[in-house]
Amino acid sequence: MTAHLPVLIVVLPLAAAVIVPLISLASAKAAFAVACLTLAAAAVASCKALSHVLAHGALRYELGGWAPPWGIEYVVDPLSGGVAALIALIAVCVVVYAGPQVNGGSSARGGMFHGLFLLLVTGLLGIVLTGDMFNLYVFLEISSLAAYALLASGGIRGTVATFRYLIVGTIAATFYLLGTGYLYALTGTLNMADMAVRLTAVMDTRAYGVAVVLIVIGLAIKAALFPLHGWLPDAYTYAPAPVTGFIAAVMAKVSAYALFRVLYFVTPAEGASAQALMLLGWVSVIAVLAGSILAMAQQDIRRMLAYSSVGQMGYIVLGFALGTPAALIGSLLHLFGHAVMKGCLFLAVGGIRWRTGIYRISDYAGMGRRMPLTMAAFVVAALAMIGLPPTLGFFSKWYLLSGAVEAGAWLFVIALVLSSLLGIVYFFRVFEFAYLKAPEAGQPTPPRQELPLHMLAPILVLTAAVLVFGLLNQQVVGGIIRHALPGALAP
Amino acid sequence: MSHYPLLAVLVSLLAAGAILLSDRRPNVREAWTFVAAAVKFLLVVSMLPTVLAGGVIEATYAELLPGWSLHLRADLFGLIFALLAAGLWILTSIYSVGYMRAGHYTHQTGYFASFAVCLSATMGIAFAGNLITFFLFYEMLTLATYPLVVHDRTEEAVAAGRKYLAYTLGAGQLLLLAIVAIAVLAPGAAFQPGGFLMGKAPLGVLGLVFVLGLIGVGAKAAIMPLHSWLPAAMVAPTPVSALLHAVAVVKAGTFGCLRLVHYVFGVDLLRAMGADTVLAVAAALTILLASVRALGEQNLKRRLAYSTVSQLSYIVLGAALGSTAAVAGAMFHIVAHGFMKITLFFCAGAIYVKTHKLEIPDLAGLGRQMPITFGAFTLGALGLAGTPLFVGFISKWNLGMGALQSGQAVFLAVFVASGILNFAYFFPIVYTAFFGRPGQAMRFDEVGAALWAPLAATAVVSLILGIYPNAGLQFYHLAWSAAESVMAGAGQALAGGGTP
């Protein structure tokens, strides 16, 4: 059974993605239940695989019995297992939040939503677990296509934003595919482990350099790294709340994961990839600052959070660029932490819009009394984004900072500190409106309108995770992340 | 392992939750505050015998960072601060209930809950055994104080809140940077009397780290030019100003300053870097300039705020002078200033509740209307000016002795000059109140007992501690023992040549 876990994690949601829309024609509730159970099963399977891997070493699965390097291989190592568990667990939270009737639509539309959502999760889990460069492309497209459909379901502006994302995303995927083609031409293999061995012989060729550049650009667009982030704010802003909550939490992270996988596990450490990382470092410094500054300028809270994501992706890539153990731990911890925090924020903000129709920051007056629990969750997650102890966000920032201090990268240090200060500005602006401004005089005081339990519970679970994993971050770092570092840096 | 320090931290945190849940029943809500305050005080006092006997009470919990756990430890110095804050919380709670109800304030649930969280954070700061624990509670204190500063929700309050956050959270980021650097230089080090950084890095690097850390704690300690949030924050309700801006927040800053100087860097390292002179001069200038600034303020609370800025730098100056008497004086002044300044703020609040007057010329003749309040005010003012028989004299005597011991007599002149300035800005108030000619005849009309009893109590305590500095909780003894342990630690660090 354990031997089949790597493929089960991917196949379960894939199968359910086909069945759920059909079931929904009969019963929306049944379809919802199947979707929930499938994702829960995927989450259990990935956690089980992760704990197995941590105890006994990487799990490899040969798809269809074809041995690598010819066949496609699925690999669960501490890195991919950890990210897969994160995706699956957040997916469970989001599907519960979405509930059986998404946006009050018909049951058939609800079924389509759940089907597409399962397909998106399949794609993301596939990207993480595959050990094959081309297979990664396939899953990248599966997840993207599902995401386009989901994002476009948010009304006319969502459709326009998604069309833009479709074009940009397709270009990004093409970049990645071209790069992979070059590498295939150079090495004759698509298996990552095999390619890593063979690339050392050809690392001085110009074609290799071009391949690295193409792959890095493609994945950087997908990860919305400034200045390639243009598609993200609109796409996040106009999509339905559960979709944004999930995509903002994990989708860009998975692209960052792919970047990490390629640059640290496939390409040789010196040469083109080192230069690419150095360049990414400088770009990410700009991303960290630009994202925060743009976030300050927003009136729409969803756009504010979206730009904040652009800045936070900079944090993650910045750690990759520094490359010291502390910095990489910081990046991976932030990859995990930001997924939880940003997921929580978007779900809270989406819930507020769903309940009250409010999405402009200036309309948040009195929200602290109208939806106290949702706003409390928002506050905790926002403090974590700023990086105040003892939240998860503080500890990832700590590792990034200490990595930067160890490396003597003072500009990075300054960028990280400045970004926290800017974060204080844009998040406390929301707090001021929500808690200190009374609703306009003459208006009746709005009643308490807390979210229904199925929406509130996932938000509170994520909030608790922000605090609990903050205090227990050493368990995450020592138990999983240290083992997920590339071979030369692992303990 | 003893969980007393953790319990002392948690009791008011739990109370904050209970207070929020008792939103609709004010009497139950206030009962939680009093229960928590009493339990907290008893917990802290119960640690006193062990610590006086030379022991430490400590425990470590979850490992937060490699080598750095959540480490709570009650040592001599920490216990001084904890005893002070826990003791004054009881009095402030009585006063708060009287003040908030007399003033018909809204949002009282949030007020009392934030107050309880602040006290948790203060205990955490006092008992923090290493820098990461200290930082955790330091930031928690900043956040928990913010709702109190903006309590009135007016434009002015919101602006003051922004200023407060800008200074304290901004400085907090620099402190974080210093702590990261220290973690790289000396991984997993706990606070140690005499410091642990000697010889860990070139002096230039350590100097930079010191400056960053000092700005971090100096903003809360209101060292000039990082002080301007403090007068602005006077817009908060008076009990907040009293406990948080005379005791908890600003004292957390000076406490952190002493911890940083004497438990992280060590006085010898400070002298090697030349930072002791810089710090001493900055503190001396703050003492004098803030006193002069206080002379020019006509609003009572703002005058008190500048007086606080000035008095806090007594503590910083004592830390920088670094001789045994100076350090003991600095530590004792945390207590002395706490009792005296809280008296004055309580008085300001009582005057405001009764008359809605805070401009000093308007106070004419009020001494005859409110003799208890103004009597206490006079005692507090005499103490702050350093008059013998008052608690302020004890700390000032030791600080002056310390200046001579360090061979820097010029700073003795600063203390003397500041004493004169204290008379100059406090006694016009006392004179106006008792001998000024009011517009109408004044009759005895004191505030309610919930307001005058706490301020009379703190005034009497500052008189008793001035005559018997060891009375009750042995503050003076604690301060001297702590100072001696710091000096012994510094001697060892020097003898050991800086090797760990």
Side-chain angles (χ1 to χ4, degrees):
Chain A
M1 179 67 186
T2 315
H4 295 284
L5 277 177
V7 73
L8 270 179
I9 298 169
V10 180
V11 167
L12 274 175
L14 182 65
V18 181
I19 300 167
V20 162
L22 297 176
I23 300 177
S24 77
L25 294 176
S27 156
K29 286 220 168 100
F32 172 64
V34 172
C36 284
L37 287 176
T38 313
L39 288 172
V44 170
S46 28
C47 290
K48 203 157 177 259
L50 179 62
S51 65
H52 178 84
V53 163
L54 288 170
H56 306 289
L59 264 176
R60 296 174 178 275
Y61 185 85
E62 296 162 8
L63 209 60
W66 297 87
W70 297 282
I72 293 172
E73 184 186 33
Y74 283 10
V75 184
V76 186
D77 58 11
L79 177 62
S80 61
V83 179
L86 173 71
I87 294 170
L89 288 171
I90 296 211
V92 173
C93 284
V94 171
V95 80
V96 171
Y97 175 90
Q101 300 282 345
V102 182
N103 289 340
S106 65
S107 61
R109 279 202 71 173
M112 285 312 291
F113 170 85
H114 287 118
L116 286 168
F117 185 74
L118 285 161
L119 201 59
L120 173 61
V121 176
T122 309
L124 297 178
L125 288 171
I127 293 175
V128 171
L129 292 179
T130 187
D132 185 280
M133 290 293 278
F134 182 75
N135 198 237
L136 196 155
Y137 166 76
V138 172
F139 280 117
L140 195 68
E141 283 296 33
I142 290 178
S143 68
S144 299
L145 290 171
Y148 300 145
L150 284 169
L151 289 168
S153 63
I156 185 70
R157 300 193 72 172
T159 312
V160 175
T162 306
F163 188 67
R164 185 171 167 202
Y165 178 31
L166 190 149
I167 294 171
V168 176
T170 308
I171 292 172
T174 312
F175 269 115
Y176 175 81
L177 184 61
L178 272 174
T180 305
Y182 270 79
L183 292 183
Y184 181 55
L186 281 171
T187 60
T189 183
L190 285 167
N191 182 282
M192 288 180 187
D194 193 32
M195 192 183 273
V197 177
R198 288 165 192 269
L199 272 178
T200 41
V202 293
M203 61 181 286
D204 296 326
T205 59
R206 190 162 293 174
Y208 167 70
V210 173
V212 169
V213 169
L214 288 171
I215 289 178
V216 166
I217 293 180
L219 292 176
I221 296 176
K222 279 297 202 182
L225 185 65
F226 186 90
L228 307 173
H229 67 285
W231 59 269
L232 181 140
D234 279 345
Y236 281 15
T237 303
Y238 301 115
V243 177
T244 319
F246 185 68
I247 288 183
V250 294
M251 198 154 167
K253 307 294 175 315
V254 168
S255 301
Y257 158 85
L259 199 62
F260 183 59
R261 176 65 82 183
V262 171
L263 289 178
Y264 274 92
F265 289 85
V266 178
T267 59
E270 289 88 30
S273 64
Q275 287 167 349
L277 278 171
M278 199 177 77
L279 187 72
L280 281 174
W282 292 106
V283 171
S284 60
V285 167
I286 301 171
V288 165
L289 294 177
S292 305
I293 292 169
L294 287 166
M296 279 199 307
Q298 303 307 318
Q299 296 302 319
D300 183 329
I301 193 159
R302 298 167 300 173
R303 288 185 85 82
M304 185 191 94
L305 293 178
Y307 277 111
S308 146
S309 279
V310 172
Q312 302 283 322
M313 290 311 294
Y315 275 48
I316 295 173
V317 177
L318 197 148
F320 293 162
L322 281 167
T324 60
L328 289 179
I329 289 173
S331 278
L332 294 178
L333 190 61
H334 201 64
L335 194 149
F336 166 54
H338 185 247
V340 177
M341 300 181 281
K342 204 37 94 51
C344 180
L345 287 172
F346 266 113
L347 292 184
V349 162
I352 288 171
R353 170 141 193 273
W354 175 80
R355 190 57 130 181
T356 65
I358 288 172
Y359 57 88
R360 295 180 71 82
I361 296 172
S362 52
D363 294 338
Y364 262 58
M367 197 56 78
R369 296 228 153 223
R370 277 171 92 173
M371 305 177 72
L373 290 173
T374 311
M375 272 315 292
F378 181 91
V379 168
V380 172
L383 294 178
M385 292 287 299
I386 295 169
L388 292 174
T391 59
L392 197 44
F394 169 75
F395 292 100
S396 50
K397 203 175 82 178
W398 173 279
Y399 281 106
L400 286 169
L401 268 176
S402 64
V405 168
E406 275 172 354
W410 303 116
L411 199 75
F412 291 11
V413 173
I414 294 169
L416 286 169
V417 169
L418 267 182
S419 152
S420 297
L421 296 179
L422 296 172
I424 292 168
V425 174
Y426 61 75
F427 278 117
F428 270 87
R429 188 165 62 120
V430 179
F431 299 170
E432 272 186 13
F433 275 105
Y435 288 98
L436 302 181
K437 290 263 188 333
E440 282 180 35
Q443 303 270 343
T445 317
R448 226 175 120 143
Q449 312 170 282
E450 202 44 91
L451 292 175
L453 185 65
H454 76 88
M455 292 176 86
L456 194 57
I459 296 177
L460 295 181
V461 166
L462 291 175
T463 313
V466 167
L467 290 171
V468 170
F469 285 111
L471 286 171
L472 299 180
N473 80 87
Q474 282 304 299
Q475 270 69 21
V476 179
V477 169
I480 301 173
I481 293 181
R482 277 190 196 283
H483 303 285
L485 297 181
L489 299 171
Chain B
M1 289 282 277
S2 161
H3 300 296
Y4 274 46
L6 182 72
L7 289 175
V9 171
L10 284 184
V11 62
S12 52
L13 209 55
L14 295 176
I19 289 168
L20 285 176
L21 291 177
S22 325
D23 184 21
R24 287 168 203 288
R25 282 175 296 171
N27 289 330
V28 179
R29 181 185 69 200
E30 263 75 297
W32 287 118
T33 297
F34 287 117
V35 169
V39 172
K40 184 188 286 274
F41 185 69
L42 290 177
L43 279 170
V44 178
V45 169
S46 72
M47 287 184 259
L48 184 63
T50 316
V51 173
L52 272 177
V56 288
I57 298 170
E58 64 183 325
T60 54
Y61 303 93
E63 192 181 22
L64 296 176
L65 289 165
W68 262 351
S69 299
L70 185 67
H71 181 186
L72 292 172
R73 174 168 72 173
D75 64 355
L76 291 160
F77 181 38
L79 201 63
I80 297 176
F81 187 36
L83 279 170
L84 174 76
L88 289 179
W89 188 32
I90 300 178
L91 294 174
T92 312
S93 300
I94 301 169
Y95 185 86
S96 281
V97 173
Y99 186 91
M100 299 305 275
R101 291 192 174 178
H104 302 291
Y105 280 83
T106 52
H107 303 107
Q108 286 195 29
T109 303
Y111 170 90
F112 284 105
S114 301
F115 227 118
V117 177
C118 281
L119 259 294
S120 276
T122 310
M123 287 304 129
I125 290 171
F127 293 139
N130 57 26
L131 279 164
I132 187 67
T133 313
F134 178 82
F135 185 72
L136 196 163
F137 289 109
Y138 195 74
E139 295 292 76
M140 180 171 154
L141 181 62
T142 305
L143 290 177
T145 322
Y146 173 73
L148 297 172
V149 174
V150 298
H151 185 87
D152 287 350
R153 272 114 169 125
T154 55
E155 293 273 326
E156 196 192 354
V158 172
R162 284 184 193 159
K163 196 167 191 176
Y164 173 67
L165 284 180
Y167 274 85
T168 50
L169 285 180
Q173 291 300 310
L174 298 186
L175 179 61
L176 172 63
L177 212 52
I179 296 176
V180 169
I182 291 169
V184 172
L185 296 175
F191 288 133
Q192 195 178 320
F196 56 78
L197 277 181
M198 184 70 127
K200 297 279 186 199
L203 287 181
V205 174
L206 288 176
L208 181 69
V209 174
F210 180 72
V211 170
L212 287 173
L214 187 70
I215 295 175
V217 291
K220 274 212 180 87
I223 301 175
M224 281 184 169
L226 304 170
H227 68 286
S228 80
W229 63 270
L230 183 60
M234 287 301 137
V235 62
T238 311
V240 176
S241 313
L243 187 78
L244 303 175
H245 298 162
V247 187
V249 174
V250 294
K251 290 295 157 58
T254 52
F255 180 84
C257 198
L258 275 160
R259 277 276 195 234
L260 192 70
V261 170
H262 289 290
Y263 291 80
V264 175
F265 281 83
V267 70
D268 293 300
L269 179 55
L270 216 62
R271 287 187 182 140
M273 295 188 295
D276 63 327
T277 319
V278 178
L279 184 58
V281 169
L285 286 176
T286 305
I287 293 175
L288 297 177
L289 288 176
S291 295
V292 173
R293 194 77 173 69
L295 280 173
E297 286 291 346
Q298 286 307 309
N299 179 292
L300 181 57
K301 276 180 81 178
R302 289 182 65 87
R303 186 175 284 192
L304 291 180
Y306 277 105
S307 159
T308 303
V309 174
S310 164
Q311 294 277 336
L312 291 172
S313 276
Y314 278 38
I315 300 165
V316 178
L317 182 51
L321 288 171
S323 52
T324 315
V327 175
M331 288 172 174
F332 189 69
H333 199 57
I334 290 183
V335 178
H337 179 251
F339 276 105
M340 298 181 294
K341 193 47 75 58
I342 206 167
T343 309
L344 297 191
F345 271 112
F346 281 170
C347 292
I351 297 163
Y352 181 75
V353 164
K354 197 75 208 168
T355 65
H356 285 272
K357 289 174 187 165
L358 278 178
E359 297 301 309
I360 292 165
D362 298 343
L363 303 180
L366 279 179
R368 272 167 278 172
Q369 183 187 343
M370 305 168 69
I372 302 173
T373 304
F374 277 94
F377 189 94
T378 312
L379 294 184
L382 281 168
L384 280 175
T387 320
L389 293 186
F390 288 91
V391 65
F393 174 73
I394 310 276
S395 47
K396 210 161 117 179
W397 173 266
N398 282 300
L399 287 166
M401 286 279 287
L404 293 179
Q405 277 181 4
S406 317
Q408 292 173 298
V410 60
F411 293 113
L412 178 60
V414 170
F415 289 123
V416 172
S418 167
I420 296 168
L421 284 165
N422 268 280
F423 275 113
Y425 60 74
F426 279 131
F427 278 84
I429 304 173
V430 175
Y431 181 84
T432 312
F434 283 109
F435 305 107
R437 292 183 181 282
Q440 76 272 28
M442 287 290 180
R443 294 184 297 108
F444 176 83
D445 188 12
E446 192 51 85
V447 283
L451 293 180
W452 70 253
L455 65 89
T458 52
V460 169
V461 168
S462 57
L463 189 58
I464 294 173
L465 285 181
I467 301 166
Y468 302 105
N470 269 325
L473 300 174
Q474 312 255 0
F475 282 118
Y476 195 59
H477 188 70
L478 281 170
W480 265 96
S481 307
E484 276 159 6
S485 78
V486 163
M487 289 303 135
Q492 277 170 13
L494 205 61
T499 46

